[in-house]
Amino acid sequence: MFIHVFTLTVFSLLPVINPLAAAALMLSMSKDMPPKLISRQINLASFYLLTILTLTFFVGTSILNSLGISVSVIKLLGGVIVGLIGVGLLFHKDNHTQQLSHRENFAFYPLNIPMMCGPGTIILLITGAAHISDSLTQVNRLEIYFSILLAFVAISIISWGILMLAVQIKNVIGQRGIYLITKAMGAMLIYIGINLITSSHYHCLAGAIRKTI
C-alpha cells in the first residue's frame, strides 16, 4: 500500500507540476544573475512547493466539507482542467515561455504560482484529499497520509534537482528533447483527466442508486 500510494502520487503530480517547464521559465528570468542568488531562489522554490502541496492537500478536505461541495463535482472539474492542460501540451504548437522582466525574487511568483502550483495541481490535490476522506474507512489513513507526504518531499527534491541542473539538461536533451517530454506529459495528463471524469460519473451514478434504494 505504501509503495503504491507513493508511486501513484509522484507520477500523478509530476506531469501537472511540470518542473521542466518551470526550469525553462527560470532560465528566462535568471539571465545575468549571480549563481549564488539563483541557487537561493531554487532552494526557496522547492520549499514553497513542498509547503503549498502539503497545505493544499491537508486543508482541501476541510474546505470541501465546510462549503458542502461534493466529491463528484470536484472530480469532474479536476478531470476537465487536467485534461485540457494535457490537450494543450499534446496538440498545441510549442510556444516559447514568455520572457519576463528581470526579477531577483521569483521563487514564489511566478515559479510556484502559477507555474508549478497552478489550477491543475490544486484541483488534483483537493480531488485526492476528497477521495481519501470519502472512501477510506478501514484502511490505515496514517500510512496513506505519511506516504503522500513523503511523495511531496520526493517531488520537491526532484523539482529542485531539475531546476539546479536546468542549464545542463537543456544542453544534453536540447529543445527537441524538452518538446518530446512535454508531449509525453500531455498524453499522461489526458489519461489522468479521463480517469477523473469517469470516476466522477461513477460516483454520481452510485449516489443516485443509493438514493433510489
Side-chain angles (χ1 to χ4, degrees), residues 205-213:
L205 181 60
I209 293 175
R210 283 196 300 265
K211 290 181 180 179
T212 58
I213 296 177

Side-chain angles (χ1 to χ4, degrees), residues 39-130:
S39 298
R40 182 174 182 274
Q41 289 300 302
I42 292 175
N43 292 335
L44 285 174
S46 302
F47 172 75
Y48 291 150
L49 177 61
L50 176 59
T51 303
I52 294 172
L53 292 177
T54 304
L55 290 178
T56 302
F57 179 81
F58 287 103
V59 178
T61 303
S62 300
I63 295 177
L64 288 177
N65 293 335
S66 62
L67 296 178
I69 301 176
S70 66
V71 176
S72 58
V73 172
I74 293 297
K75 285 185 177 181
L76 179 60
L77 179 61
V80 171
I81 293 178
V82 172
L84 287 177
I85 293 175
V87 170
L89 291 176
L90 186 61
F91 296 110
H92 288 185
K93 292 183 178 180
D94 184 29
N95 295 322
H96 292 288
T97 305
Q98 183 180 4
Q99 297 293 325
L100 301 176
S101 58
H102 178 76
R103 296 175 58 93
E104 292 187 357
N105 299 290
F106 54 80
F108 186 79
Y109 174 83
L111 202 56
N112 263 285
I113 304 291
M115 194 63 189
M116 291 192 290
C117 294
T121 303
I122 301 300
I123 291 295
L124 195 57
L125 287 170
I126 293 178
T127 300

Side-chain angles (χ1 to χ4, degrees), residues 125-148:
L125 287 170
I126 293 178
T127 300
H131 178 72
I132 292 175
S133 176
D134 183 71
S135 62
L136 289 184
T137 54
Q138 299 177 348
V139 180
N140 188 346
R141 292 191 183 188
L142 183 60
E143 179 184 0
I144 299 254
Y145 287 142
F146 181 69
S147 61
I148 290 175

